[in-house]
Amino acid sequence: MRNFTKKLFLCLVFVAVLAFGAVACAGGSANVTLTMQNEATVEVGTSLVLTPEFSGETQDKIEWSSGDESIATVNDGLVVGVSAGVTKITAKLGTAEAVCTVTVKES
């Protein structure tokens, strides 16, 4: 019986360590929400700034991406119209994500 108790204790410790490791690897952003405007318009050769809002605590940096860089590029929220069309600009913070549909018009 004593050997069984020891094995049970070791199994419980192992499970606790795995659970703690999974939480630690989540980057501390599991409860973060991110919002930003849904639509924006910019002319070719001009720019606009998208400013997302987030709630929760995180040490992560917002990652930006453009669905089509031939239409619009994005760098730290600064969107530049490249050619006429529509693309999606995505801001990602940990597991949270916000998307803005950007229409680029000829100037």
Side-chain angles (χ1 to χ4, degrees), residues 71-89:
I71 295 173
T73 60
V74 62
N75 185 14
D76 288 330
L78 179 67
V79 178
V80 177
V82 176
S83 65
V86 177
T87 189
K88 294 188 183 298
I89 301 296

Side-chain angles (χ1 to χ4, degrees), residues 12-13 18 28 38 42 45 52 54 63 66 69 72 75 89 99 101:
L12 290 174
V13 169
L18 284 178
N38 293 328
V42 65
F54 69 93
E63 296 176 26
S66 171
E69 291 190 343
N75 185 14
I89 301 296
V99 178
T101 301

Side-chain angles (χ1 to χ4, degrees), residues 2-83:
R2 185 176 179 177
N3 195 22
F4 173 77
T5 305
K6 185 176 180 181
K7 286 182 181 179
L8 180 62
F9 175 76
L10 289 175
C11 285
L12 290 174
V13 169
F14 180 73
V15 169
V17 168
L18 284 178
F20 178 78
V23 170
C25 289
S29 60
N31 295 322
V32 172
T33 58
L34 186 66
T35 58
M36 152 172 86
Q37 67 193 74
N38 293 328
E39 298 177 347
T41 302
V42 65
E43 291 184 354
V44 173
T46 63
S47 63
L48 65 91
V49 177
L50 294 177
T51 308
E53 296 179 13
F54 69 93
S55 63
E57 292 185 28
T58 182
Q59 295 179 358
D60 295 336
K61 183 179 176 192
I62 295 176
E63 296 176 26
W64 293 92
S65 63
S66 171
D68 189 341
E69 291 190 343
S70 70
I71 295 173
T73 60
V74 62
N75 185 14
D76 288 330
L78 179 67
V79 178
V80 177
V82 176
S83 65

